[in-house]
Amino acid sequence: MSHSNGFRALDRQECLRLLTKVPIGRIVYTRQALPAVLPVNFSLDTDSSVLLRTSAGSDLVRAIDGVVVAFEADDFDAATRSGWSVVVTGRATVVTDPAEHERLSWAGPRSWVVTGDGVFVRIEAEMVTGRDITGTRGAD
């Protein structure tokens, strides 16, 4: 873990541990050839992949199924100028296996919006990076 410009790089295990501490992250993907960012609630699966739950007919599902995306979550304290950020990069796929969908219905993330056609999207944790900063109150 190196120190550079006040930031400390986090190893994969520390990144995954931190992801379990926050309920909201942001998915970064391409929409109509332009970058798009969408806040989403999520959870981690037992294989460390990021799980989202959304409507089967959503624009998000159409844009990300089968493509590489980034997912970012963070936590910051403005008063102490400290916090962390983690990015997971990997292929997103809609979970189509009925048994896996049933398992995730119990163990996966709960959608904040009620949908009758909910699907799970899995983002493989192919690359996991993160950094933290420990600031000082009142520093310039």
Side-chain angles (χ1 to χ4, degrees):
M1 289 182 243
S2 64
H3 295 265
S4 176
N5 298 328
F7 294 98
R8 180 177 62 93
L10 302 172
D11 66 27
R12 180 182 177 93
Q13 287 310 108
E14 180 69 2
C15 289
L16 294 172
R17 185 188 69 76
L18 288 169
L19 285 177
T20 66
K21 298 192 173 293
V22 293
I24 300 292
R26 285 157 291 285
I27 186 162
V28 182
Y29 62 103
T30 303
R31 182 176 55 213
Q32 298 176 352
L34 296 172
V37 180
L38 185 66
V40 292
N41 66 303
F42 74 100
S43 67
L44 289 184
D45 203 356
T46 56
D47 66 354
S48 301
S49 59
V50 174
L51 295 170
L52 316 175
R53 187 172 188 170
T54 189
S55 172
S58 71
D59 290 340
L60 177 63
V61 168
R62 285 190 296 277
I64 68 173
D65 189 23
V67 301
V68 174
V69 300
F71 175 84
E72 188 270 346
D74 54 45
D75 190 28
F76 292 99
D77 182 336
T80 62
R81 297 183 180 191
S82 62
W84 57 267
S85 175
V86 170
V87 176
V88 174
T89 305
R91 186 164 308 277
T93 55
V94 173
V95 174
T96 57
D97 177 60
E100 183 68 354
H101 190 277
E102 179 66 23
R103 180 184 75 83
L104 293 176
S105 293
W106 295 101
R110 299 284 181 244
S111 178
W112 287 16
V113 178
V114 177
T115 63
D117 65 344
V119 296
F120 292 98
V121 175
R122 176 184 307 282
I123 302 170
E124 298 298 330
E126 295 170 19
M127 184 168 48
V128 180
T129 60
R131 62 185 189 167
D132 78 350
I133 182 172
T134 304
T136 57
R137 185 182 293 275
D140 287 331

